[in-house]
Amino acid sequence: MTGKDLVFFPFFQRARISQVSEYLEAGGFTGWRKAILENRPSAILKTLKESGLRERDSTGFPTGMKWELLASSSSPGKYLVVKIEDGEPGNAKDIWLMEKCPWLVLEGALIAVWALRITGLIFLVPQNRPFMAAQMSELWNQMLKAGLLKASGSDEPLNLPVPEFRRGMGVFTGNEETDLVEFLEGRKICGRARSHFPILEGYKNLPTLITNPETLANVPLIVANGGDWFAK
């Protein structure tokens, strides 16, 4: 087992972390607080690139580069889509992560939303776990009540999108992102002919970052500890 395999260990030494107080006690939201305190989105992108983090799916695309592509867009609207479904046969890593410590994923999503100026946030929950939508909505409300979605040193709420929790596709399409875009727009799940990748032109023809829980769960730890820490 390598160091990268152990980054989640402090959060998995206990049973499922269901309360925001438990996550804070374990060191949660350190990355989020650092991000909004320093107020330097470009530094977050630089840290991610230095870390060498790659998408935790079959593409293995460099996460920092993917975020940078979205950040470079001048579009007034941008989407983040978190696909919780594990489509690969015999793979349940993302569902397991969401059941064990969903806070890491939510914190990673918050950092992405803030750093990339995301205007729309969608979580796609597994078809066979529809109850997960209500669970995640409750966790988001806990963050609100705990004051975690306010600007640093202020009582003013941050301008963050209200997340949507939708049922996922229920099928494995080999990480073909245009299939997911078609599904979100209510059409037949079939990859579209494209002139751009969804990161440049995706849902509603807006730049769309499509990622998964495991990738996002690494982000808070990288932001808190630095890119070099993760790259070792």
Side-chain angles (χ1 to χ4, degrees):
M1 183 174 285
T2 68
K4 289 186 177 65
D5 297 318
L6 294 171
V7 295
F8 301 144
F9 186 70
F11 301 99
F12 293 158
Q13 289 179 292
R14 61 185 74 193
R16 182 181 189 272
I17 301 178
S18 58
Q19 299 298 315
V20 68
S21 57
E22 296 175 296
Y23 184 57
L24 287 166
E25 182 183 331
F29 291 111
T30 300
W32 169 239
R33 285 170 165 167
K34 181 179 179 181
I36 59 175
L37 178 64
E38 295 183 354
N39 195 25
R40 295 172 58 207
S42 61
I44 292 176
L45 299 180
K46 183 174 182 290
T47 298
L48 279 182
K49 291 184 73 174
E50 289 174 347
S51 74
L53 175 66
R54 290 177 174 270
E55 292 295 295
R56 295 310 198 229
D57 56 26
S58 60
T59 68
F61 195 84
T63 301
M65 187 181 299
K66 194 171 184 179
W67 285 35
E68 196 171 57
L69 283 170
L70 191 80
S72 67
S73 172
S74 59
S75 172
K78 299 176 183 179
Y79 274 88
L80 170 62
V81 178
V82 185
K83 186 178 69 169
I84 298 173
E85 290 182 305
D86 292 293
E88 297 90 337
N91 187 356
K93 65 179 181 64
D94 288 325
I95 291 175
W96 180 83
L97 183 58
M98 292 301 299
E99 291 178 344
K100 187 69 174 177
C101 187
W103 296 106
L104 273 170
V105 181
L106 288 172
E107 185 180 357
L110 278 175
I111 293 172
V113 165
W114 182 84
L116 300 173
R117 301 297 186 256
I118 297 292
T119 56
L121 173 59
I122 301 173
F123 289 91
L124 291 177
V125 304
Q127 285 276 355
N128 62 346
R129 284 173 170 79
F131 55 85
M132 193 176 286
Q135 289 178 344
M136 293 182 67
S137 180
E138 166 58 23
L139 298 183
W140 191 271
N141 287 333
Q142 285 191 44
M143 291 191 295
L144 278 170
K145 292 176 182 177
L148 291 164
L149 306 185
K150 294 180 180 179
S152 181
S154 170
D155 286 331
E156 292 296 317
L158 291 165
N159 185 22
L160 303 173
V162 177
E164 298 179 52
F165 303 101
R166 304 187 190 179
R167 296 279 288 274
M169 293 190 294
V171 296
F172 176 54
T173 59
N175 288 309
E176 172 50 57
E177 292 186 340
T178 58
D179 282 341
L180 188 56
V181 173
E182 293 291 286
F183 170 76
L184 287 170
E185 295 180 349
R187 290 190 286 272
K188 181 181 178 181
I189 301 175
C190 181
R192 64 170 66 169
R194 60 188 176 191
S195 56
H196 300 290
F197 288 97
I199 198 73
L200 299 175
E201 186 179 308
Y203 181 52
K204 297 182 179 179
N205 295 320
L206 294 172
T208 303
L209 172 62
I210 298 172
T211 190
N212 57 69
E214 187 183 2
T215 304
L216 286 177
N218 281 282
V219 171
L221 304 173
I222 291 171
V223 172
N225 296 289
D228 291 341
W229 166 82
F230 188 82
K232 290 178 181 179

